[in-house]
Amino acid sequence: MTGATGFIGRHIVQNLLSHGFTVRALTRRARETSTDRLIWIPGELEDRNSLAELVRGAEFVVHCAGQVRGHSEETFTQCNVNGSLRLMQVTRQTGGCKRFLYLSSLAARHPELSWYANSKYVAEQQLIALSGEFSLGIFRPTAVYGPGDKELKPLFNGMLRGILPRLGSPEAKLSFLHVSDLADAVNQWLSAENPRSGIYELCDGVSGGYDWRRLQEIGASVRRGPVHLVGISPRLLNVMADISILWNRLAKTEPMLTHSKIGELTHQDWSASNRSLSENIHWFPKVSLERALREGLF
Ligand SMILES: NC(=O)c1ccc[n+]([C@@H]2O[C@H](COP(=O)([O-])OP(=O)(O)OC[C@H]3O[C@@H](n4cnc5c(N)ncnc54)[C@H](OP(=O)(O)O)[C@@H]3O)[C@@H](O)[C@H]2O)c1
């Protein structure tokens, strides 16, 4: 498993351990402590030797590491495209692996929208070309939230305090997925007898997704008070991206909001369908956004 130290990866690891898997997990951090069934392998996607050690003896590979923030296209390409390719090559050379699961993104449906979206799409294509004899699952989760998430939490907190900033047009369609449902889907895809290789979208199953008005309604119902929808103009978003880039440059970190990201954030239709995955492995999400907000599951 790669990406096990990140928001989604931590949930996947816990889920797999609770279902009896033994996990070998790549880490760039020095202080992770291994146990009998969770073995940390120091290394990174850039280092073939650590990847070979990671996949040694593995029946399944779950590739969840990814670059989600970046100031340049190169940042995304290096990690998401080249890193994924390296992991696949090493996995094939090592032999023994039966299934490879790649955590892509719904964004890959529209590679033209952002550097991130393009890098996920190109990675998918290259993995498919290289996958050879083993099953290759490509998951395209929509926006994922839940305990440990830092990106959507401020939006939901603001909404439950009565303010919902709207990006893009009022009619834009959004979708969401609780991280526990994503972790279940990973476990089920690995545990299924004979899952089909393919590209699968994942969301919380609310048909047609959510528009901003629906989010406003849900927020108002959960907080039992009004929620004000505040439109963020494209001009303001661009200014915010300028500030984010500058701020992160000074802090020597990678920005989430860039001019490239705006295309993705304001896209008209991010509704998704679970049909393909549900038919294949009988996975059905359990946590709708409304339930998560009511029960504080984020
Ligand atoms: N969050 C979402 O809404 C969402 C939606 C769809 C798809 N995804 C995909 O899901 C995956 C996980 O996302 P996340 O939200 O959990 O992101 P995250 O919290 O930023 O975690 C990213 C993980 O990737 C690791 N990583 C990054 N670059 C690496 C490298 N060069 N070598 C080794 N490890 C590296 C990180 O390690 P460190 O801990 O050392 O930094 C971390 O474990 C990504 O592939 C992302 O594209 C996320």
Side-chain angles (χ1 to χ4, degrees):
M1 161 121 203
T2 67
T5 53
F7 156 53
I8 293 175
R10 284 186 183 280
H11 287 268
I12 294 177
V13 167
Q14 287 316 314
N15 187 305
L16 293 179
L17 291 175
S18 75
H19 285 90
F21 285 87
T22 297
V23 180
R24 293 168 75 81
L26 190 69
T27 180
R28 301 192 285 191
R29 304 172 187 195
R31 285 213 312 245
E32 304 285 359
T33 313
S34 293
T35 61
D36 280 355
R37 289 200 297 116
L38 174 57
I39 300 126
W40 290 101
I41 308 293
E44 54 187 4
L45 288 176
E46 289 70 18
D47 172 19
R48 273 178 195 276
N49 292 335
S50 59
L51 296 182
E53 177 59 12
L54 178 71
V55 302
R56 187 167 53 83
E59 225 174 314
F60 310 118
V61 170
V62 179
H63 177 30
C64 180
Q67 186 73 36
V68 296
R69 303 162 161 259
H71 70 287
S72 70
E73 181 157 27
E74 182 64 13
T75 318
F76 293 100
T77 307
Q78 283 298 345
C79 179
N80 296 346
V81 179
N82 301 347
S84 301
L85 209 61
R86 207 171 287 118
L87 179 64
M88 174 64 93
Q89 286 163 344
V90 169
T91 303
R92 287 197 60 172
Q93 280 159 11
T94 311
C97 171
K98 291 197 301 207
R99 289 179 205 172
F100 190 109
L101 181 59
Y102 175 46
L103 265 286
S104 180
S105 164
L106 192 62
R109 199 167 73 184
H110 291 287
E112 73 284 4
L113 291 179
S114 68
W115 295 326
Y116 170 71
N118 189 55
S119 70
K120 292 304 246 187
Y121 172 76
V122 175
E124 288 181 353
Q125 294 304 306
Q126 300 204 359
L127 290 180
I128 291 168
L130 251 190
S131 61
E133 69 288 350
F134 50 68
S135 298
L136 171 63
I138 294 179
F139 279 7
R140 283 183 173 177
T142 183
V144 182
Y145 69 95
D149 155 58
K150 296 194 187 83
E151 310 301 337
L152 285 170
K153 195 179 170 70
L155 183 84
F156 296 150
N157 280 338
M159 184 163 111
L160 296 183
R161 287 192 194 108
I163 302 283
L164 177 61
R166 170 175 58 75
L167 315 176
S169 84
E171 294 77 33
K173 289 210 163 75
L174 312 166
S175 54
F176 302 95
L177 176 65
H178 195 269
V179 68
S180 62
D181 280 326
L182 175 53
D184 274 343
V186 170
N187 165 46
Q188 280 185 235
W189 197 80
L190 298 183
S191 307
E193 216 160 276
N194 207 3
R196 274 195 313 274
S197 292
I199 296 180
Y200 301 101
E201 294 184 359
L202 295 89
C203 68
D204 71 359
V206 169
S207 170
Y210 301 81
D211 62 18
W212 290 98
R213 288 244 170 268
R214 180 65 193 130
L215 286 185
Q216 186 184 24
E217 278 169 19
I218 292 175
S221 148
V222 173
R223 76 184 293 265
R224 297 191 187 158
V227 170
H228 302 284
L229 200 51
V230 182
I232 308 286
S233 67
R235 212 170 140 170
L236 180 55
L237 253 185
N238 274 300
V239 173
M240 288 164 70
D242 284 335
I243 295 170
S244 147
I245 293 164
L246 187 64
W247 176 264
N248 281 279
R249 191 180 300 151
L250 293 173
K252 294 191 165 46
T253 51
E254 293 291 352
M256 176 56 87
L257 182 60
T258 60
H259 299 283
S260 165
K261 191 78 180 173
I262 290 176
E264 208 187 298
L265 292 176
T266 57
H267 180 61
Q268 273 292 103
D269 185 7
W270 285 127
S271 60
S273 166
N274 295 323
R275 208 177 76 195
S276 198
L277 189 62
S278 298
E279 282 174 5
N280 188 354
I281 60 166
H282 292 278
W283 168 79
F284 298 93
K286 299 186 188 83
V287 186
S288 68
L289 180 62
E290 182 162 0
R291 178 179 156 204
L293 293 176
R294 276 192 201 289
E295 298 181 12
L297 306 174
F298 66 97

